[in-house]
Every structure is written in C-alpha cells, then in structure tokens.
C-alpha cells in the first residue's frame, strides 16, 4: 500500500469514527476502556495510547490506538521495521525505533511516527478547548547531541532540538505544538523540557529541567518521562521515573494569556495530529529527529497529579 493510500485509509477510519460519534465527545470503545498497562486512575483521561504491539491488520505500518480515541498513527518511512523487540518495562513487548537516516541529504527518509491532517484530526477533539493535557511514556536515547541538520548546506550544522512526543496545534504545519516533551536548546544548553501553547497562533511557554539532560536520559537506558500542562493556571511540570523534576520557566511574562478571568482553555480547534520522534509526521520536511526507542506513549486530556504520575510509573515498573 502506498503512503498516500495508507493515509487515505487512516483518514477514512478517523472520519467514520467521527460520524458515528456525532458532534459531542467520542465514546470509549469496548476493547480500549481498560488498557492493561494503564493505571485505573488514568484511564478516564486517556485519549490516545500506543504500545507498538498492535499493528493494524493488513497494514503493519499503522499502529492501533489503545486509548479511547481510536486514532491510528503511521510508522513513517520505516514501517513495520520500526517495531523492535525491546522491553521498556515488565510486560511490554515491542518498542518503537525512530532515527535519522541520512544526515547528509535533504530528503524525507527519517524514521518517525504520528498523524497529520490539514483539517484537524477529529478523533483528537478531546484536546480542543481543554484546561489540561499530559504527555508521558518510556524513552531510551541513543544520542549524545542533536542530529546533524539535513536541511542546510553546512555539514557541521546541527538541529537545536531532539523531538520526543507531542500533540499538534489546530493550525500546525506539522511542527507547532499544544503539548510536547522534547530536548531543546535553552540559553545555549540542551535541556529536557515541557513546551506548551494554549492558543493557536499564540506564544509558547517552556518549562525546562534544571538537571543535565544526559543524567536524566542516559544513553541506552529506559526512562519514564511525563509532562503536564495546566492551561487554566499556566503551570507546567516534568517527571522522571515517577518523581517531579526541579526546573524553571523560560519566560517570566504571560505567554498563554491566563492572567485575566478564567477559566482558560486551549483553542477550540481539532489538533492537526500527533508527532513522535521528530516533526512533520506528514513527511514533508525533516526536523529534530530522535535516535531513540519509545514505548507506552500516553496522551491524556487532563493534568495528571504528581501522585498519579508516580502510580503510573510504579504500575508499569512493578
């Protein structure tokens, strides 16, 4: 099946789900209401969940969603080969492998995952007009620095970030996000961050971990990370292996415009998708590739409490 045909099939499935669900919230599907690896406290907020053990029948380059939204994602460029046997936690099966393929060529061959639609992804509507979002999952880095920049002529130029996982805005070109876990240059130093944007076309805020990123994400070691985004108050948080991380905001003003009367929510537009392991899941450009493995990626439409982040980590690591 060609990539164009694959996206057509995935889009048709998304639209069919939306038609059945009507204009309101999407219903939970019977086989996705109690994912085995998700703590009971988190299940009601779980919009999308990918464990990379559930290829779509007939097209293993698509991964089934184990959350309530049913949003299939594509394993871009590598297809089924991107599922690799590597146990992030007890009970896990395959993991997702993402990587830069050819740093010397301005092409579109990097391994990444996600979904993108110019009209918005209907099944991700839970992230439209929401007061909070959480992104979490298991990550294993195989990088010592951002990848070489394949979009410039300078052979030593590097990207300024390493993309992990996030939800796109309703006007995203495949890069702009509402809620993102990533590693990015902050004042000349790469840091683990939560980066969020409440309003489409608006400013982003970044909460950066104080600790050195290689300590937080040692090469070759599985680590559980979580980022929470409270769009009502402007608060953000980062967690590693269930514990909160010390950090700082990169802006001291009010980029989310939450100082006035609330409640404050995200723009009421369907996100244009999800990006994993780099930007532009529609495969039109390469940016911020991650030579990484990932597993149990969760996207929730609430701010998960610190105690529940720890519960989720211990639930998987038990």
């Amino acid at each position: 099946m060609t990539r164009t045909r694959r996206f057509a099939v995935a889009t048709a499935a998304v639209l069919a789900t939306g038609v059945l669900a009507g204009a309101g919230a999407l219903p939970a599907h019977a086989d996705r209401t109690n994912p085995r690896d998700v703590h009971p406290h988190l299940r009601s907020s779980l919009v999308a969940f990918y464990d990379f053990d559930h290829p779509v029948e007939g097209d293993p380059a698509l991964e089934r969603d184990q959350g309530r939204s049913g949003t299939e994602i594509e394993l871009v460029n590598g297809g089924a080969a991107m599922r690799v046997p590597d146990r992030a936690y007890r009970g896990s099966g395959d993991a997702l492998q993402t990587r830069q393929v050819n740093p010397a060529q301005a092409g579109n061959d990097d391994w990444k995952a996600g979904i993108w639609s110019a009209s918005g992804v209907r099944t991700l509507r839970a992230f439209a007009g929401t007061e909070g979002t959480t992104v979490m999952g298991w990550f294993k880095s195989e990088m010592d620095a951002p990848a070489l920049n394949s979009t410039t002529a300078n052979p030593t130029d590097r990207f300024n970030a390493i993309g992990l996982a996030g939800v796109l805005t309703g006007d995203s070109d495949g890069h702009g996000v509402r809620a993102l876990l990533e590693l990015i240059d902050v004042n000349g130093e790469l840091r683990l961050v939560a980066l969020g944007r409440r309003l489409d076309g608006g400013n982003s805020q970044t909460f950066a971990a104080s600790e050195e990123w290689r300590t937080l994400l040692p090469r070759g070691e599985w680590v559980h990370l979580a980022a929470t985004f409270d769009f009502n108050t402007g608060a953000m948080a980062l967690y590693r292996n269930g514990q909160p991380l010390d950090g700082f905001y990169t802006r001291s003003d009010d980029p989310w415009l939450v100082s006035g009367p609330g409640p404050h929510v995200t723009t009421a537009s369907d996100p244009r998708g999800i990006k994993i392991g780099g930007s532009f899941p529609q495969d039109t450009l390469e940016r911020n590739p991650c030579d990484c493995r990932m597993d149990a990626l969760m996207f929730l439409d609430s701010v998960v409490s610190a105690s529940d982040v720890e519960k989720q980590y211990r639930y998987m690591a038990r």
Side-chain angles (χ1 to χ4, degrees):
M1 183 182 289
T2 66
R3 186 173 184 280
T4 301
R5 173 61 179 159
R6 183 178 295 120
F7 262 96
V9 170
T11 302
V14 166
L15 291 174
T17 304
V19 170
L20 292 173
L26 295 175
H29 293 261
D31 62 343
R32 295 194 296 267
T33 54
N34 295 296
R36 180 195 63 185
D37 294 329
V38 181
H39 191 279
H41 285 197
L42 276 64
R43 289 173 184 168
S44 63
S45 298
L46 187 67
V47 178
F49 174 39
Y50 306 101
D51 60 9
F52 305 103
D53 296 326
H54 293 85
V56 170
E57 185 176 356
D59 191 351
L62 294 176
E63 176 71 15
R64 288 169 49 204
D65 179 9
Q66 302 305 298
R68 73 174 188 262
S69 78
T71 306
E72 295 171 357
I73 57 172
E74 181 179 3
L75 311 188
V76 180
N77 291 315
M82 294 170 65
R83 291 189 189 87
V84 295
D86 194 351
R87 300 183 67 184
Y89 56 95
R90 185 174 301 183
S92 70
D94 288 343
L96 173 72
Q97 175 75 59
T98 62
R99 64 184 178 90
Q100 185 177 53
V101 173
N102 190 345
Q105 181 177 340
N108 290 312
D109 52 10
D110 287 351
W111 286 14
K112 51 193 171 184
I115 184 172
W116 185 86
S117 171
S119 59
V121 178
R122 169 69 175 84
T123 51
L124 297 176
R125 185 161 292 180
F127 297 112
T130 184
E131 291 187 10
T133 297
T134 298
V135 178
M136 68 171 70
W138 290 86
F139 302 88
K140 181 162 71 171
S141 171
E142 296 293 345
M143 307 179 72
D144 296 315
L148 291 169
N149 191 336
S150 58
T151 68
T152 67
N154 185 347
T156 64
D157 187 29
R158 291 184 180 271
F159 291 106
N160 76 333
I162 301 171
L164 297 178
V167 179
L168 302 177
T169 60
D171 59 353
S172 178
D173 61 353
H175 181 67
V177 290
R178 275 189 190 150
L180 175 69
L181 259 171
E182 75 171 346
L183 299 152
I184 194 170
D185 185 296
V186 177
N187 299 324
E189 185 174 352
L190 200 69
R191 293 188 182 274
L192 174 67
V193 307
L195 188 152
R197 181 178 285 103
R198 184 173 76 86
L199 301 174
D200 289 357
N203 293 318
S204 64
Q205 174 65 291
T206 301
F207 181 79
S210 300
E211 199 166 354
E212 212 273 337
W213 77 273
R214 294 180 187 86
T215 303
L216 297 174
L217 204 60
R219 184 174 181 139
E221 180 180 322
W222 280 108
V223 175
H224 187 262
L225 299 176
T228 61
F229 306 81
D230 189 330
F231 296 110
N232 186 39
T233 67
M236 304 163 73
L238 284 168
Y239 301 84
R240 179 187 187 272
N241 289 347
Q243 298 302 307
L245 293 173
D246 291 332
F248 58 93
Y249 294 97
T250 61
R251 297 182 60 149
S252 59
D253 57 350
D254 182 24
W256 288 357
L257 304 180
V258 296
S259 60
H264 304 288
V265 298
T266 58
T267 299
S269 59
D270 295 343
R272 284 192 172 178
I274 288 172
K275 67 176 184 177
I276 297 167
S279 293
F280 303 100
Q282 71 271 41
D283 209 23
T284 56
L285 188 66
E286 295 175 344
R287 189 176 298 176
N288 305 337
C290 185
D291 288 352
C292 303
R293 291 185 176 181
M294 309 181 191
D295 202 359
L297 300 183
M298 302 182 187
F299 303 86
L300 304 99
D301 62 349
S302 68
V303 177
V304 175
S305 68
S307 62
D308 281 347
V309 171
E310 183 176 12
K311 285 185 178 74
Q312 177 59 43
Y313 168 68
R314 296 191 179 280
Y315 190 72
M316 302 177 101
R318 65 191 187 281

